[in-house]
Amino acid sequence: MTLKTTVGAFAQGWAVRYAAGLIGAAVITATATSASAATFDCVMDPSLTVKLGSPVSSILSDVLVDRGDRVKKGQPIAQIESSVEQAAVAINKVRASSDSEIEAKQALLNEKSGVYKRKSDLLAKNVASAQDVDTAQAEFNVATQDLALAKLNREMAQLELARSQALLDQRTIRSPIDGIVTQRALGPGEFVRPEANIVTIAKVDPLFVEAYLPVRYYGKIKVGDGAAVRPNQPIGGSYNAVVSIVDEVFDAASGTFGVRLNLPNPDYHLPGGQRCHVDFNVPDMTDSDAETTESSRR
């Protein structure tokens, strides 16, 4: 074997050992990285589910949405039969906008005021009697009260209009949240009672990610901590969420405590009710690790 052959063999062997060392280091690094995050099963639920009903018992004249529709807060969802309420609003609107009674009472007051003034002037000149002045003053006072009563009647008419408008507004069922219609229970022409629900709406922005962790992780997860949520297939992907609730009461039967995370979902890309995994940036622990940590604290 020549010197050149010997050097080549040495160099080749060194390269193989170096590559093996790199692979081993990469494996160790990957293991350390995976060990730095604890993973748990979770479920992505709607942050709020609302079952819309009716405040009154009546007939549904129309349901304006169906399952799967996206709705906005304040959007009309259903209409209850309201012909009587619409007529009451129209009548009260005419009464509340009329100034005829006030104008008539004001004209009468002006006339009585003039009579009272003239009688007073005549009394000062000893032309009229005191009884005539007293009568004119009484009539002026009555006209003043009649005008005040007319103004009160108009205020009452305006309040009655507001009341009838409120009753009419009750006949339009509106969505209290932004969300998605998940169920329509009743349709046009059906009778609805206050205890029944017409549609169900789910708020999916944000989603609530619910997970249950072994009690050995208590104190490791805090409100405000970030985590990565990985929905199961076919959704997939990884999404950032923030811890919003850490239960302070354990479930003794399972030895777990609940954690809730807020997961933004502005484009409704993620569905509610999907199973997932959540990765917390804490070391994966066993019961023995927790006991060792507790012993070291003592």
Side-chain angles (χ1 to χ4, degrees):
M1 180 181 295
T2 64
L3 177 60
K4 182 176 181 180
T5 304
T6 303
V7 172
F10 174 77
Q12 183 178 5
W14 182 87
V16 171
R17 289 194 298 273
Y18 179 73
L22 288 178
I23 294 173
V27 171
I28 294 173
T29 302
T31 303
T33 301
S34 62
S36 65
T39 300
F40 304 94
D41 293 335
C42 59
V43 177
M44 303 186 308
D45 287 332
S47 53
L48 183 63
T49 299
V50 178
K51 294 184 177 181
L52 295 186
S54 169
V56 296
S57 298
S58 187
I59 300 296
L60 275 174
S61 61
D62 199 4
V63 179
L64 306 174
V65 297
D66 204 347
R67 191 178 72 180
D69 290 346
R70 296 185 181 183
V71 297
K72 295 291 185 179
K73 182 177 180 179
Q75 177 180 335
I77 300 300
Q79 185 68 48
I80 300 174
E81 201 284 324
S82 58
S83 57
V84 175
E85 288 73 18
Q86 290 177 10
V89 168
I91 293 172
N92 291 324
K93 188 174 294 185
V94 172
R95 289 176 177 172
S97 61
S98 175
D99 292 331
S100 300
E101 184 181 8
I102 293 178
E103 292 174 354
K105 298 300 182 182
Q106 182 66 58
L108 182 60
L109 176 62
N110 293 340
E111 191 268 334
K112 296 298 182 182
S113 176
V115 172
Y116 174 57
K117 185 177 183 304
R118 288 192 298 272
K119 293 289 185 181
S120 298
D121 292 342
L122 292 175
L123 178 63
K125 297 177 182 179
N126 293 323
V127 176
S129 65
Q131 182 178 0
D132 291 340
V133 175
D134 291 342
T135 301
Q137 184 178 10
E139 292 176 350
F140 170 74
N141 292 338
V142 171
T144 301
Q145 295 302 318
D146 286 343
L147 177 61
L149 182 60
K151 292 180 178 179
L152 177 62
N153 289 338
R154 186 176 66 174
E155 292 180 3
M156 293 297 293
Q158 292 173 344
L159 293 175
E160 188 64 28
L161 173 61
R163 177 178 178 275
S164 59
Q165 185 65 57
L167 291 175
L168 178 61
D169 291 342
Q170 286 184 343
R171 301 283 169 155
T172 301
I173 311 301
R174 301 179 183 274
S175 174
I177 59 173
D178 296 343
I180 298 176
V181 178
T182 60
Q183 182 185 21
R184 190 181 80 171
L186 297 175
E190 293 190 83
F191 188 81
V192 59
R193 295 179 175 85
E195 64 272 13
N197 65 289
I198 302 170
V199 298
T200 302
I201 301 176
K203 183 178 182 180
V204 294
D205 180 30
L207 290 169
F208 283 168
V209 179
E210 304 286 354
Y212 290 90
L213 281 58
V215 295
R216 60 178 177 269
Y217 288 95
Y218 187 76
K220 304 294 183 181
I221 311 297
K222 296 180 174 60
V223 174
D225 289 350
V229 177
R230 296 180 288 108
N232 290 359
Q233 294 299 331
I235 305 302
S238 180
Y239 304 88
N240 295 326
V242 178
V243 176
S244 59
I245 295 177
V246 177
D247 288 347
E248 298 184 10
V249 178
F250 296 163
D251 180 53
S254 62
T256 60
F257 66 99
V259 175
R260 173 181 290 175
L261 302 93
N262 282 12
L263 176 59
N265 188 29
D267 57 358
Y268 293 7
H269 172 68
L270 301 174
Q274 173 75 348
R275 292 187 176 274
C276 58
H277 294 84
V278 56
D279 300 328
F280 291 101
N281 191 24
V282 295
D284 196 4
M285 300 174 60
T286 62
D287 290 334
S288 59
D289 293 333
E291 293 175 358
T292 302
T293 303
E294 184 63 24
S295 299
S296 63
R297 288 179 180 177
R298 295 176 182 176

